[in-house]
Amino acid sequence: MKKIFTLSAISLFTILILSACTKRTYIDQDENYWLSKERGEVVYSSSSCGYYVVQTYNGYSVIGSADGYRPFEGSILYGNFSNRGIRDIYNYSNGIIITGDIKDYWLSYGEAQSAVDYYCYY
């Protein structure tokens, strides 16, 4: 009788532990958070320069790579591109979060090209 009670207690404990484990939904929640931010598409990225240009609804933003990662042209990004400073940016195309230093924002295409030339020269 003790063996049956012990086995049923262990089985019950195992069932409770396994049923308490659920799939993490943090990724889905994080993605919903990021998708509510400003959307941009990378229109310029070069392996020889640490800066890239993102086209947003408000114009073009020049972003420096703060973590050494530069997205490819055509990548879709979400984040706050309308303020200067170091920011986390969600790369939707690759599903990762990168860090970028927003240098200039709300630029025309010509102004963005001039800014990249200026930053990449030094």
Side-chain angles (χ1 to χ4, degrees):
M1 189 70 164
K2 281 186 172 182
K3 289 182 182 180
I4 293 174
F5 178 74
T6 305
L7 288 175
S8 58
I10 291 172
S11 298
L12 181 63
F13 181 72
T14 305
I15 290 171
L16 288 174
I17 294 296
L18 292 178
S19 66
C21 298
T22 59
K23 182 180 176 185
R24 287 180 44 188
T25 58
Y26 300 123
I27 295 170
D28 295 335
Q29 292 172 354
D30 284 345
E31 186 168 77
N32 289 335
Y33 166 77
W34 286 108
L35 294 179
S36 68
K37 300 292 183 184
E38 191 175 3
R39 181 184 188 274
E41 181 179 351
V42 178
V43 293
Y44 173 79
S45 181
S46 171
S47 60
S48 63
C49 178
Y51 291 86
Y52 52 96
V53 178
V54 175
Q55 180 182 11
T56 67
Y57 179 76
N58 297 316
Y60 295 87
S61 297
V62 177
I63 304 172
S65 174
D67 59 1
Y69 178 83
R70 285 184 308 276
F72 295 113
E73 289 181 14
S75 296
I76 303 299
L77 307 178
Y78 287 90
N80 182 0
F81 303 114
S82 296
N83 290 314
R84 286 191 176 98
I86 295 180
R87 310 241 180 261
D88 285 336
I89 301 167
Y90 179 60
N91 185 335
Y92 180 75
S93 299
N94 292 343
I96 59 173
I97 296 175
I98 60 176
T99 304
D101 185 9
I102 311 235
K103 293 293 189 180
D104 291 312
Y105 57 95
W106 294 357
L107 302 174
S108 68
Y109 186 72
E111 291 171 332
Q113 286 179 326
S114 296
V116 167
D117 289 342
Y118 174 78
Y119 291 124
C120 290
Y121 179 74
Y122 297 104

